[in-house]
């Protein structure tokens, strides 16, 4: 039986976020790579694929037959293997800082009927990332070209933020920027949170760019767009769920005093006497050795979960108390190891979500940035992109109340959802409930005393789910 609104003034709205499909799934609320490339009402004529890793042969196998002749441009991290294929495919290899990567994962799809989609997701364009791993994708509404009236919706920032991000690539993406300017993004629900390589200063010719990118950008949006109830301030957890850990430092200065403190922002945090006294509650969701061993891909799943033993030994004193197991039965992904990355604030008991970011960012300074020069400069090494969702983004009128809730995969399938654009067009709606199937179970489960976090450079003992031993290449 479908879960429906309780009255005529209440609506369940789709968040735009979906889990990607496992090989074993049929007819679910998830979506495959081929499904993402088949969403338009007409054929794809051109597309831009932003990513870190790419296997062109695998990708082309997933492209629908009707789109195989579409002009495709891959904006990806440079590798010797891909550089050899420049005569066969269109590539852009962006420049990054030393030890940085082009890690953003985004699709821009243009269709024959002059519509378009933007997809921001978490998977590499390689076979092992699809079908047996936990991933997520945010999909825009079907974008249409602007009419003589120009943009007609309230969200004027989405287009400017996306174009500013694309502008950081320089002239190589001039055609894409020009094409996207023709489309109306003003009805999108969500805000871009991106990282761009470089040193971004608190003042200068480009303005206050320190708050335009990385974790400072996320904190700035939270301060403007998230209002926390007193219960949410007291009972919620900042949940950082990721598939890779960088070098965070020998103490928790960056993780807690810079990163978590900034993500603790809200429009009313500074005005609350309670928030000044309450310690920030943080949880780090990351798979254990045993969970990787028993996963759908066995030990090999760990090759996509980079965390060095050296960094663990340096950081375990402050990371260990915060670690939570990767348990995903509610999302029907118990044995599908995470490559998804989400950052959120959630009341684990009530399952209410204050905000959620689905993104390419992992838990690293390279992705999010670190402060330099006494806090006047933010240094970022990599390209990253994500989409932030908050309840306020789903409201169109002052009389409306919006909440976001974490639901199970089964509950999501059984809920009658309408698009956020439909909700915004209906003035009679007073209560909007945005249902999101988070990739992990709530409440979270702490590591036991025997649990160890996965490290990809340790030859752990025992046979995995495939009957294989762990070998290091």
């Amino acid at each position: 039986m479908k879960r429906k609104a309780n009255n005529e003034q209440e609506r369940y709205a789709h968040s735009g976020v979906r889990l990607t499909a496992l090989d074993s799934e049929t007819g679910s609320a998830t979506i495959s790579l081929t499904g993402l490339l088949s969403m338009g009402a007409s054929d794809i004529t051109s597309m831009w694929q932003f990513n870190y890793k790419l296997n062109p042969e695998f990708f082309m196998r997933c492209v629908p037959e009707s789109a195989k002749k579409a002009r495709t441009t891959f904006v990806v991290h440079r590798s010797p293997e891909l550089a050899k294929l420049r005569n066969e495919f269109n590539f852009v290899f962006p420049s990054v800082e030393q030890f940085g990567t082009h890690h953003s994962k985004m699709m821009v799809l243009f269709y024959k009927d002059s519509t378009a989609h933007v997809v921001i997701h978490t998977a590499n364009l390689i076979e092992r990332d699809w079908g047996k791993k936990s991933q997520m994708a945010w999909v825009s509404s079907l974008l249409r070209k602007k009419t003589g009236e120009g943009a007609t919706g309230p969200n004027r920032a989405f287009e400017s933020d996306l174009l500013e991000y694309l502008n950081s690539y320089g002239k190589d993406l001039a055609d894409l920027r020009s094409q996207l300017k023709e489309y109306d993004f003003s009805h999108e629900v969500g805000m871009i949170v991106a990282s761009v390589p470089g040193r971004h200063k608190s003042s200068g010719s480009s303005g206050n760019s320190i708050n335009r990118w990385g974790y400072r950008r996320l904190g700035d949006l939270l301060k403007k767009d998230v209002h926390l109830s007193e219960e949410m301030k007291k009972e919620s957890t900042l949940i950082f769920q990721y598939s890779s850990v960088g070098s965070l430092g020998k103490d928790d200065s960056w993780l807690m005093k810079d990163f978590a403190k900034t993500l603790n922002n809200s429009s009313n945090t500074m005005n609350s006497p309670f928030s000044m006294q309450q310690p920030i509650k943080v949880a780090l969701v990351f798979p254990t050795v045993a969970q990787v061993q028993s996963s759908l891909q066995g030990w090999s799943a760990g090759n996509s979960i980079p965390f060095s033993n050296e960094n663990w030994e340096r950081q375990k004193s402050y990371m260990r108390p915060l670690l939570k197991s990767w348990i995903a039965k509610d999302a029907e992904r118990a044995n599908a190891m995470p490559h998804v990355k989400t950052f959120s604030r959630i009341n684990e008991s009530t399952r209410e979500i204050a905000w959620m970011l689905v993104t390419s960012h992992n838990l690293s300074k390279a992705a999010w940035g670190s402060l330099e020069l006494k806090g006047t400069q933010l240094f970022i090494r990599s390209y990253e992109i994500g989409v932030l969702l908050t309840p306020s983004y789903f409201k169109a009128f002052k009389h409306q109340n919006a909440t976001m809730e974490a639901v199970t995969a089964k509950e999501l399938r059984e809920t009658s959802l309408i698009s956020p654009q439909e909700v915004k067009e209906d003035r009679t709606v007073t209560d909007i409930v945005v249902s999101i199937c988070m990739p992990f179970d709530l409440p979270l489960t702490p590591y036991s005393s025997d649990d160890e976090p996965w490290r990809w450079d340790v030859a752990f003992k025992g046979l995995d789910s495939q009957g294989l031993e762990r070998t290091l290449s």
Side-chain angles (χ1 to χ4, degrees):
M1 180 179 292
K2 281 285 186 181
R3 190 170 64 126
K4 298 181 179 180
N6 294 320
N7 55 64
E8 292 183 1
Q9 286 75 46
E10 183 180 64
R11 295 291 185 276
Y12 284 104
H14 200 290
S15 66
V17 175
R18 298 168 75 173
L19 288 162
T20 62
L22 299 180
D23 289 338
S24 58
E25 288 180 316
T26 57
S28 72
T30 60
I31 193 164
S32 65
L33 177 53
T34 299
L36 288 169
L37 299 172
S38 307
M39 296 184 298
S42 63
D43 297 341
I44 295 175
T45 55
S46 66
M47 59 178 151
W48 295 71
Q49 293 289 340
F50 293 70
N51 223 292
Y52 174 43
K53 291 186 176 181
L54 164 70
N55 180 330
E57 182 184 352
F58 162 73
F59 177 78
M60 293 309 297
R61 287 203 313 267
C62 295
V63 174
E65 196 62 38
S66 61
K68 288 193 184 293
K69 293 184 179 179
R71 177 177 174 80
T72 302
T73 303
F74 296 108
V75 185
V76 293
H77 189 77
R78 177 186 288 273
S79 72
E81 295 78 16
L82 292 178
K84 294 175 183 176
L85 301 176
R86 290 192 106 162
N87 293 331
E88 300 178 48
F89 299 96
N90 301 312
F91 288 113
V92 173
F93 296 124
S95 298
V96 295
E97 297 288 339
Q98 186 179 22
F99 307 121
T101 61
H102 182 269
H103 201 248
S104 297
K105 295 165 178 64
M106 177 171 69
M107 306 180 187
V108 184
L109 312 172
F110 295 103
Y111 303 109
K112 191 175 181 179
D113 62 0
S114 296
T115 59
H117 271 121
V118 172
V119 180
I120 295 174
H121 63 105
T122 64
N124 290 296
L125 296 178
I126 58 176
E127 189 164 9
R128 74 185 189 205
D129 268 23
W130 298 84
K132 290 182 173 63
K133 282 194 173 69
S134 295
Q135 308 273 15
M136 269 184 156
W138 173 88
V139 181
S140 73
S141 64
L142 187 63
L143 301 166
R144 303 183 185 280
K145 290 191 174 181
K146 295 171 185 170
T147 63
E149 302 175 17
T152 58
N155 188 355
R156 305 303 172 91
F158 193 97
E159 176 185 350
S160 60
D161 290 341
L162 180 59
L163 291 175
E164 184 177 8
Y165 169 73
L166 295 175
N167 193 57
S168 69
Y169 290 83
K171 63 180 183 351
D172 289 330
L173 268 59
D175 289 346
L176 175 59
R177 294 194 297 272
S178 177
Q179 201 169 357
L180 284 175
K181 286 177 183 177
E182 299 178 19
Y183 286 83
D184 186 356
F185 288 88
S186 63
H187 297 277
E188 292 314 301
V189 175
M191 294 292 282
I192 298 286
V193 175
S195 289
V196 168
R199 286 179 162 86
H200 309 285
K201 302 181 185 299
S202 58
S203 61
S205 59
S206 60
N208 191 13
S209 66
I210 195 170
N211 289 333
R212 290 298 302 141
W213 312 111
Y215 78 92
R216 293 290 293 258
R217 160 68 170 171
L218 178 53
D220 199 47
L221 287 173
L222 298 177
K223 191 187 303 181
K224 291 186 293 187
D225 300 335
V226 173
H227 185 90
L228 299 176
S229 67
E230 288 305 311
E231 182 182 10
M232 186 63 81
K233 289 176 190 174
K234 295 176 185 177
E235 303 297 336
S236 61
T237 306
L238 290 175
I239 303 176
F240 307 157
Q241 180 273 306
Y242 47 88
S243 63
S244 175
V245 188
S247 177
L248 308 181
K250 62 183 180 180
D251 60 40
D252 66 357
S253 295
W254 182 86
L255 179 63
M256 297 302 294
K257 297 181 178 64
D258 290 346
F259 188 65
K261 184 178 179 180
T262 301
L263 271 58
N264 193 45
N265 279 350
S266 72
S267 63
N268 59 328
T269 297
M270 298 306 295
N271 299 323
S272 169
F274 181 84
S275 65
M276 302 297 288
Q277 307 163 12
Q278 183 77 353
I280 301 172
K281 185 179 177 184
V282 172
L284 307 178
V285 180
F286 192 73
T288 66
V289 174
Q291 288 167 338
V292 172
Q293 183 179 11
S294 62
S295 70
L296 294 174
Q297 295 170 312
W299 291 127
S300 68
N303 296 333
S304 301
I305 310 174
F307 186 19
S308 72
N309 194 56
E310 180 183 0
N311 281 339
W312 167 241
E313 291 297 329
R314 185 186 301 120
Q315 297 161 190
K316 66 182 180 182
S317 63
Y318 60 89
M319 289 187 72
R320 175 89 202 189
L322 307 177
L323 283 170
K324 312 293 180 181
S325 294
W326 171 259
I327 299 177
K329 294 177 182 177
D330 288 347
E332 299 170 356
R333 266 138 188 76
N335 296 317
M337 285 299 94
H339 195 265
V340 60
K341 308 96 170 59
T342 60
F343 294 78
S344 57
R345 185 169 193 149
I346 301 177
N347 183 320
E348 296 180 52
S349 299
T350 66
R351 304 168 73 90
E352 182 181 353
I353 304 171
W355 57 266
M356 175 205 180
L357 177 78
V358 57
T359 187
S360 64
H361 293 80
N362 276 303
L363 191 65
S364 74
K365 294 179 181 180
W368 285 107
S370 57
L371 291 174
E372 299 177 331
L373 300 180
K374 298 181 179 179
T376 63
Q377 181 171 278
L378 185 69
F379 179 41
I380 297 174
R381 296 183 184 274
S382 299
Y383 278 100
E384 309 278 0
I385 193 165
V387 172
L388 174 67
L389 301 176
T390 78
S392 64
Y393 297 159
F394 291 84
K395 295 168 56 175
F397 306 103
K398 289 184 178 180
H399 71 274
Q400 291 178 329
N401 177 58
T403 56
M404 296 187 348
E405 62 168 5
V407 298
T408 67
K410 183 175 184 290
E411 288 171 333
L412 189 68
R413 287 194 298 271
E414 294 175 349
T415 303
S416 296
L417 297 171
I418 63 175
S419 74
Q421 287 75 24
E422 289 178 273
V423 171
K424 287 192 169 190
E425 291 171 2
D426 191 344
R427 284 179 174 269
T428 67
V429 175
T430 57
D431 295 296
I432 302 163
V433 182
V434 183
S435 299
I436 303 175
C437 181
M438 296 300 291
F440 45 80
D441 286 3
L442 294 168
L444 301 172
T445 301
Y447 272 35
S448 72
S449 58
D450 295 329
D451 284 335
E452 286 188 73
W454 172 254
R455 282 97 74 207
W456 73 338
D457 55 355
V458 176
F460 295 108
K461 303 299 182 184
L463 300 180
D464 66 7
S465 62
Q466 310 301 306
L468 301 174
E469 293 183 344
R470 174 68 176 162
T471 58
L472 301 179
S473 55

